[in-house]
Amino acid sequence: MEQIGGFLIALIVTLLLGLVGLAAWRYWREQVNISPEDEELMREIAELNDRQANRISDQRLRSGVDPDEAWRIMVQRGQRSRRRTTGSSRRK
């Protein structure tokens, strides 16, 4: 009789764990699945963010580029690039 009781308890625990696992798997599958409409929306938002990140004001575009300002910007970007390269090599 004790063996049957132990077997039933083990069976019930196994079934409960299986149900919890199944519920978790179905929930995860719902979270991971992206509809084509949602995927298209995410793509459009990413493209919008890219366009806004690279946008330059109209007034600045119309005014043209000052050679001194262009040189200063180029030097600053080169220094930032060099700092990143030097900083990453120090960490290794």
Side-chain angles (χ1 to χ4, degrees), residues 52-86:
Q52 287 179 341
N54 297 323
R55 187 172 56 195
I56 300 174
S57 70
D58 292 339
Q59 183 179 2
R60 190 162 182 198
L61 284 173
R62 277 184 268 131
S63 67
V65 178
D66 178 31
D68 293 332
E69 178 71 13
W71 181 258
R72 186 184 61 75
I73 291 170
M74 186 174 64
V75 169
Q76 284 178 347
R77 289 182 180 172
Q79 288 173 346
R80 273 190 245 141
S81 173
R82 194 176 316 127
R83 273 189 239 136
R84 286 187 199 133
T85 305
T86 306

